[in-house]
Amino acid sequence: MEVNGKSDLNVPLLEAQDSVTVNISPPTPYDDKKIKTAKFKIKGIECGSCTTSVESVVGKLNGVVTVVVSPMDGQTVVKYMPEMVDPKRIRETVENAGFQVEGYPEQEIEVCRLKIKGMACTSCSESVERALLVADGVKKAVVGLSLEEAKVHFDPNVTNPSKIIEAVEDSGFEADLINPGNDVNKVHLKLDGVHSLEDVSTIRIALELAVGVNHVDIDMEGKKTTVSYDPDVTGPRSLIKCIREASVGVTCYDASLYVPPRQRDLDHWNEIQMYRNQFLWSCLFSAPVFVFSMVLPMLPPYGDWLDYRIHNMLTIGMLLRCILCAPVQFVIGRRFYIGAYHALRRKSANMDVLVAVGTNAAYLYSLYILFKALTSNDFEGQDFFETSAMLISFILLGKYLEIVAKGKTSDALAKLSELAPDTACLVTIDGNGNVTSETEISTQLIQRNDLFKIVPGEKVPVDGIVIDGQSYVNESMITGEAVPVAKRPSDKVIGGTVNENGCIIVKATHVGSETALSQIVQLVEAAQLARAPVQKLADQISRFFVPTVVAAAFITWLAWFVTGVAGVYPKHWIPKAMDKFELALQFGISVVVVACPCALGLATPTAVMVATGKGASLGVLIKGGSALQKAHKVKAVVFDKTGTLTVGKPVVVNAVLFSGVTLEELCNMTIAIEANSEHPLAKAVGAHAKTLRKKHQSLADHVEDAKDFEVHPGAGVGGKVGDKIVLVGNKRLLQVYNVPINDEIKEYISKTENLARTCVLVAIDGKVGGAFSVTDPVKPEAARVVRFLQSMGISSIMVTGDNWGTATAIAREVGINQVFAETDPIGKAEKIKEIQMKGVTVAMVGDGINDSPALVAADVGMAIGAGTNVAIEAADIVLIKSNLEDVVTAIDLSRKTMSKIRLNYVWALGYNVLAMPIAAGILFPFTGIRLPPWVAGACMAASSVSVVCSSLLLQSYKKPLNVERI
């Protein structure tokens, strides 16, 4: 395994989402001259004069800051000011100089995330999304109600985050920039020795000139800097050293790591405090109003003083209720007015509209009663001041409880983020492998290729590779795998996992946002932001729900008022101190308040948030609500064989010779051809051939390289070794090239396949020279998983490129009845489409590049975590720990989540379905029971809290199939 080169160690476990070729520094309020970086490759660079020529013509462009062209491979980095020159002009200039540009995007796309404040229901999130989509330069926008975030893809040549935030604010909501999506690696540093703008300028220049630095932000007031950098070139410690070296004379500069508070946690805490304070202030005024109107009048003689008349029919109690209610209605309840105004301006309606309509109807009618009592000698009327005040108080209490509960929906994700340790033991070693020094540093200061020591009981700080020592590492915190995994030199370790017993030295290979832990968190956050298809139901309902409720409230008021005036119902139905109008008004207000659609909008996203976070903690990464929803419909699971049902590390158990070919010649030909293949079977056969060659003490020191190498997907490989044409693969490959297969060979193939082994044939110049019998052990949990899926009503199917005999034997061993063998990658996708044509929802489980078409074709693609990055990118669900039991976990979690979403809709709509008729007075004629508006407000708040708490129950989800080794 290559450790220092560009090996698979430099490839993240999960590729970053929405990655683009152009790396652009984020705009900041501190830098008027925004410098962006374009990276691309130029073909035709043959010598130093070519690079000089390109650098010269591009460097002359007005707005280009620096140009660097590599004479080795033509890789080019151009820093430019977008206000003065655009990427298209740079590309045209290079091409006009006679060179061809590769990897240059036709259109730059940046990604930023925004924190959206003030969203209460689905109609709010839809309004924000519409406002973003119509903004100039915005290509794509997704708004998550439960996360209260938006992810925006935009053209930086047309717009920027500041303008996008303005578009959100114009729609009536507050927005803050969380972070630019392509600001991948950055470090926050606290500066010492900075006292003037000259000091700031000195440090800025020193950092910007440092190799690998992409962007520098300096906050003069806070004496802090944020530096974006390339982790392949530099790191936090190098940047701190750079700042120290910028010291001039007696002026000494220094820097230390600064960890800013997580913006999401800070915003969530501020929101909780805001709603709590507003509720407490509201209670301060509402409680006396309730006592004066509901309690004291029922406790004579203690409440008699409230009936004392100040002027005409105006009493002390009425005046006090009016005075106490006013701050609640117009100061504390101001947020509802603002929200309703912006909603109506957008020609939509949300919770704020309902609250504003209900409370204003009660308050304005109460003012009418007050002025009537003030000007009349004989008027008697009942005010509703307590309705308005208590209604706002209950709504604020409901929002407070909802925000607190919503914060717990991301607990699993927060726990993942906190797995990495705070410090690490950095070491240096001499040429003999002895440790010469040890230094404890912050984990955030670790750079790529650093060496750090991990003693028993300590956590692994970042992803890396073991270079010395042996131990067992508990990876259950990330993968859910309870059994510690043995680690030896050349084995990979994951940041956040715990070293069990031995002391190991690890070399850092992935740091910052490239670590598996960071990528898991990023992927789950993206999944939580994605909207599940079932959410469309709530979106459709919310579009007409509020206008329908307002219409129903008006009809309720009109029906009770008209029937009262017409004398349809007896007068004794009207409560004391009320008239027909007031009774009808209370029924109408109750209908408006109780039917708020807040809970409806929370039903799906809260369940998706909890489920994706819980899945990640169990080692199942679900890429969004769509994948979560589709998985519950799966009725057939298609398994790849090699690396999925089997361990994926085949070994050769037998080798035979045919046609008089010598063992040395067979081994030499096989080694030469298989050296070019990455297939697991090829590696096993090549390794065994080398062992045989060494065992029989071959005289040849060197094996000739293969030429004209060609891969035949699902069949084998071929090429030319010296003057001989060599084919290594299965029977199908030899049949394509018309290589004769006699009875002896057929009998050997049949015998091998019946033993669930793969027969790899080697043909030299049109004749079969020998064969290798390869076995790939079946995973111990495979049979149990197939049986469990069958008990869930899900059929299992195998699709493999291997031969029929081996495929059938493996299928028989694990209990699969339906097998498709000798199938190439495109054929796998076609088989899946055939199954789908029967109306069956299909999940595909695979691990290799050749499984990618099938993973995409399936309704739900599940990639084994140890597989290739291409397969992982193509999949909807990633099974991190490569355990088939998680196929069951993913489907079962999906089913449980969809059941929870349905239950949430019952909670959300149940209150409306049951409470609206009661609020409208359907029970009043028979039982005398009516729903006062403040009670209706409590019911509305309870519906939202019930939905969130219902979703939180998913936190207790347990795997249906426990991790056991048979």
Side-chain angles (χ1 to χ4, degrees):
M1 179 177 290
E2 185 178 279
V3 177
N4 298 314
K6 293 184 178 179
S7 66
D8 61 333
L9 297 178
N10 291 326
V11 181
L13 170 67
L14 302 172
E15 292 291 347
Q17 300 296 306
D18 305 309
S19 59
V20 292
T21 305
V22 177
N23 298 322
I24 304 166
S25 302
T28 69
Y30 312 109
D31 192 3
D32 294 330
K33 295 182 178 180
K34 305 180 184 69
I35 298 176
K36 296 183 179 179
T37 304
K39 297 180 180 179
F40 53 95
K41 186 174 182 178
I42 300 178
K43 291 186 70 176
I45 299 293
E46 298 176 352
C47 59
S49 62
C50 295
T51 62
T52 304
S53 175
V54 173
E55 290 174 355
S56 175
V57 295
V58 175
K60 290 178 181 178
L61 289 174
N62 191 22
V64 171
V65 181
T66 60
V67 187
V68 179
V69 182
S70 169
M72 300 295 293
D73 54 8
Q75 293 291 343
T76 305
V77 178
V78 180
K79 290 190 176 182
Y80 66 97
M81 297 180 186
E83 296 88 350
M84 303 174 70
V85 65
D86 57 46
K88 185 179 179 182
R89 178 82 184 280
I90 295 172
R91 176 172 183 164
E92 289 175 350
T93 302
V94 175
E95 291 176 342
N96 289 338
F99 298 94
Q100 187 178 347
V101 177
E102 280 188 348
Y104 206 107
E106 293 300 323
Q107 184 181 45
E108 296 176 83
I109 297 296
E110 279 196 37
V111 182
C112 70
R113 287 171 56 213
L114 306 176
K115 176 71 176 178
I116 311 294
K117 300 177 183 178
M119 294 193 299
C121 57
T122 308
S123 61
C124 297
S125 60
E126 281 195 324
S127 298
V128 174
E129 199 165 287
R130 283 197 299 270
L132 288 169
L133 289 172
V134 299
D136 290 340
V138 173
K139 303 301 178 184
K140 180 183 176 183
V142 181
V143 180
L145 175 62
S146 55
L147 276 179
E148 296 183 330
E149 290 183 10
K151 188 174 183 180
V152 186
H153 301 242
F154 64 95
D155 183 349
N157 295 313
V158 179
T159 188
N160 57 49
S162 299
K163 293 180 181 178
I164 294 172
I165 289 174
E166 287 178 12
V168 175
E169 291 174 342
D170 286 343
S171 68
F173 299 89
E174 293 182 43
D176 294 317
L177 183 66
I178 298 176
N179 70 285
N182 37 10
D183 187 14
V184 179
N185 288 283
K186 63 181 178 182
V187 64
H188 304 274
L189 301 174
K190 182 81 173 175
L191 300 175
D192 292 324
V194 176
H195 305 290
S196 64
L197 289 175
E198 185 178 346
D199 294 332
V200 171
S201 178
T202 301
I203 291 176
R204 180 189 291 276
I205 292 171
L207 288 172
E208 288 181 342
L209 290 176
V211 178
V213 172
N214 296 328
H215 192 78
V216 180
D217 287 340
I218 298 182
D219 177 6
M220 175 64 184
E221 293 182 5
K223 295 184 178 180
K224 298 166 189 161
T225 181
T226 301
V227 185
S228 301
Y229 62 93
D230 183 352
D232 288 327
V233 181
T234 187
R237 294 202 315 282
S238 299
L239 298 174
I240 292 174
K241 182 180 179 182
C242 176
I243 292 173
R244 289 171 180 165
E245 291 176 348
S247 301
V248 180
V250 295
T251 305
C252 295
Y253 302 127
D254 200 355
S256 57
L257 193 66
Y258 164 68
V259 183
R262 285 186 60 190
Q263 189 62 41
R264 179 179 296 175
D265 295 339
L266 194 61
D267 290 340
H268 184 248
W269 185 86
N270 290 336
E271 197 169 18
I272 289 176
Q273 294 300 308
M274 180 194 73
Y275 277 111
R276 189 196 69 174
N277 293 338
Q278 286 188 348
F279 169 67
L280 292 176
W281 276 108
S282 181
C283 285
L284 182 66
F285 294 100
S286 300
V289 172
F290 178 76
V291 171
F292 294 158
S293 60
M294 298 287 188
V295 180
L296 289 180
M298 302 178 67
L299 300 173
Y302 304 106
D304 293 347
W305 62 276
L306 292 170
D307 294 328
Y308 179 79
R309 296 178 184 177
I310 300 173
H311 181 73
N312 288 338
M313 300 300 291
L314 178 64
T315 64
I316 290 178
M318 187 180 295
L319 183 62
L320 285 175
R321 289 193 292 271
C322 178
I323 293 172
L324 290 169
C325 182
V328 180
Q329 182 72 28
F330 297 110
V331 180
I332 299 171
R334 177 172 173 267
R335 62 185 308 278
F336 299 113
Y337 287 97
I338 295 173
Y341 164 74
H342 287 295
L344 294 173
R345 198 184 72 169
R346 298 189 304 267
K347 297 180 181 179
S348 64
N350 58 8
M351 179 199 78
D352 293 330
V353 172
L354 293 180
V355 174
V357 169
T359 56
N360 275 295
Y363 187 82
L364 294 176
Y365 179 74
S366 299
L367 281 181
Y368 163 76
I369 294 296
L370 185 144
F371 284 111
K372 196 78 181 288
L374 181 65
T375 57
S376 173
N377 292 321
D378 55 357
F379 174 79
E380 289 187 8
Q382 175 68 36
D383 64 86
F384 293 158
F385 285 120
E386 80 284 349
T387 295
S388 171
M390 293 184 64
L391 181 57
I392 290 175
S393 297
F394 271 107
I395 290 170
L396 290 173
L397 173 62
K399 290 298 291 181
Y400 169 72
L401 295 175
E402 178 189 317
I403 294 298
V404 170
K406 279 169 65 178
K408 297 182 182 298
T409 59
S410 56
D411 276 357
L413 197 58
K415 289 175 183 175
L416 273 177
S417 302
E418 295 166 1
L419 285 179
D422 296 327
T423 60
C425 181
L426 183 72
V427 300
T428 55
I429 58 177
D430 58 22
N432 298 323
N434 301 315
V435 175
T436 58
S437 67
E438 296 183 9
T439 309
E440 187 172 291
I441 63 170
S442 168
T443 303
Q444 295 195 28
L445 293 177
I446 293 177
Q447 300 178 186
R448 185 170 289 166
N449 296 324
D450 277 348
L451 302 179
F452 46 91
K453 182 174 75 173
I454 307 169
V455 298
E458 282 190 350
K459 289 183 177 180
V460 179
V462 296
D463 295 0
I465 182 170
V466 179
I467 64 167
D468 187 36
Q470 296 184 13
S471 182
Y472 283 86
V473 176
N474 186 339
E475 300 182 342
S476 61
M477 290 180 292
I478 291 180
T479 66
E481 177 63 71
V483 180
V485 181
K487 299 294 181 182
R488 296 177 177 82
S490 298
D491 287 343
K492 295 179 183 179
V493 289
I494 304 173
T497 56
V498 179
N499 183 24
E500 290 280 326
N501 47 20
C503 180
I504 54 177
I505 304 294
V506 175
K507 182 176 184 178
T509 57
H510 299 95
V511 296
S513 60
E514 294 179 349
T515 63
L517 187 60
S518 296
Q519 291 178 57
I520 289 170
V521 171
Q522 291 169 25
L523 190 133
V524 175
E525 284 180 338
Q528 292 177 346
L529 194 60
R531 187 173 295 172
V534 71
Q535 178 70 21
K536 292 179 181 178
L537 174 62
D539 296 345
Q540 291 168 353
I541 293 174
S542 67
R543 286 194 184 98
F544 63 83
F545 193 81
V546 174
T548 303
V549 168
V550 174
F554 178 76
I555 293 170
T556 299
W557 170 81
L558 188 64
W560 277 101
F561 182 63
V562 170
T563 53
V565 172
V568 174
Y569 60 82
K571 290 184 178 181
H572 69 267
W573 281 12
I574 304 174
K576 188 179 179 182
M578 272 195 190
D579 60 18
K580 303 176 184 66
F581 179 84
E582 293 166 353
L583 179 65
L585 184 62
Q586 276 214 351
F587 282 128
I589 293 173
S590 294
V591 170
V592 167
V593 174
V594 82
C596 180
C598 287
L600 195 63
L602 294 170
T604 298
T606 52
V608 170
M609 278 188 71
V610 178
T612 50
K614 185 65 179 177
S617 67
L618 294 174
V620 178
L621 292 186
I622 303 169
K623 297 183 180 179
S626 179
L628 195 66
Q629 181 175 339
K630 288 187 291 185
H632 91 284
K633 299 178 182 178
V634 169
K635 290 299 179 184
V637 176
V638 176
F639 292 96
D640 174 47
K641 181 181 75 69
T642 305
T644 303
L645 287 173
T646 62
V647 174
K649 294 182 179 179
V651 291
V652 178
V653 294
N654 188 24
V656 296
L657 295 172
F658 300 112
S659 306
V661 174
T662 65
L663 180 62
E664 183 179 1
E665 183 182 11
L666 178 71
C667 290
N668 288 342
M669 297 296 118
T670 303
I671 293 168
I673 291 295
E674 298 290 45
N676 296 283
S677 177
E678 291 296 318
H679 195 281
L681 287 178
K683 289 184 176 181
V685 171
H688 188 74
K690 288 178 183 178
T691 303
L692 282 177
R693 189 168 169 271
K694 185 176 181 181
K695 184 178 179 181
H696 288 81
Q697 299 177 345
S698 172
L699 296 176
D701 294 327
H702 177 70
V703 175
E704 193 170 353
D705 293 334
K707 298 178 180 178
D708 301 328
F709 178 78
E710 189 175 1
V711 177
H712 303 275
V717 293
K720 196 172 182 180
V721 181
D723 58 350
K724 297 183 178 182
I725 297 174
V726 182
L727 298 172
V728 182
N730 57 24
K731 182 171 60 176
R732 185 153 50 93
L733 175 65
L734 270 60
Q735 289 173 342
V736 170
Y737 281 86
N738 297 318
V739 176
I741 301 175
N742 58 37
D743 293 339
E744 179 189 4
I745 299 171
K746 289 179 180 178
E747 184 180 350
Y748 178 79
I749 293 172
S750 177
K751 182 180 177 181
T752 301
E753 292 175 352
N754 288 335
L755 294 172
R757 298 172 181 173
T758 300
C759 186
V760 177
L761 301 169
V762 181
I764 303 172
D765 283 340
K767 292 182 179 181
V768 179
F772 295 89
S773 177
V774 187
T775 184
D776 187 3
V778 173
K779 287 184 177 178
E781 73 273 13
R784 192 175 174 206
V785 168
V786 170
R787 288 196 303 270
F788 201 93
L789 287 173
Q790 188 175 5
S791 70
M792 296 171 68
I794 299 172
S795 59
S796 298
I797 302 166
M798 180 197 291
V799 177
T800 178
D802 211 338
N803 61 75
W804 277 100
T806 304
T808 304
I810 294 291
R812 191 185 309 117
E813 186 176 345
V814 299
I816 293 178
N817 298 321
Q818 193 171 358
V819 181
F820 298 102
E822 299 181 7
T823 309
D824 60 21
I826 302 302
K828 290 182 180 181
E830 293 298 328
K831 293 296 180 185
I832 286 175
K833 290 176 183 177
E834 287 177 16
I835 300 169
Q836 289 171 328
M837 291 294 288
K838 300 175 183 177
V840 178
T841 302
V842 181
M844 169 69 192
V845 186
D847 72 319
I849 293 175
N850 61 334
D851 297 322
S852 299
L855 289 169
V856 174
D859 296 287
V860 180
M862 298 186 188
I864 297 294
T868 65
N869 287 307
V870 176
I872 290 172
E873 284 297 301
D876 301 300
I877 298 174
V878 180
L879 312 178
I880 300 177
K881 60 181 183 175
S882 304
N883 195 313
L884 287 178
E885 289 165 346
D886 287 337
V887 174
V888 175
T889 302
I891 296 173
D892 184 67
L893 180 59
S894 171
R895 291 184 175 184
K896 293 287 194 304
T897 305
M898 291 308 299
S899 296
K900 188 63 67 178
I901 289 173
R902 295 189 192 99
L903 179 61
N904 286 351
Y905 278 131
V906 171
W907 280 112
L909 295 174
Y911 280 89
N912 294 330
V913 172
L914 295 176
M916 276 185 67
I918 299 174
I922 193 170
L923 298 179
F924 186 67
F926 313 105
T927 63
I929 296 175
R930 61 190 176 91
L931 205 64
W934 63 272
V935 176
C939 289
M940 182 270 289
S943 67
S944 295
V945 176
S946 298
V947 165
V948 178
C949 291
S950 172
S951 295
L952 283 173
L953 291 176
L954 282 170
Q955 289 278 26
S956 61
Y957 173 81
K958 303 292 183 184
K959 286 186 174 186
L961 193 58
N962 293 325
V963 179
E964 295 178 5
R965 289 292 172 261
I966 302 172

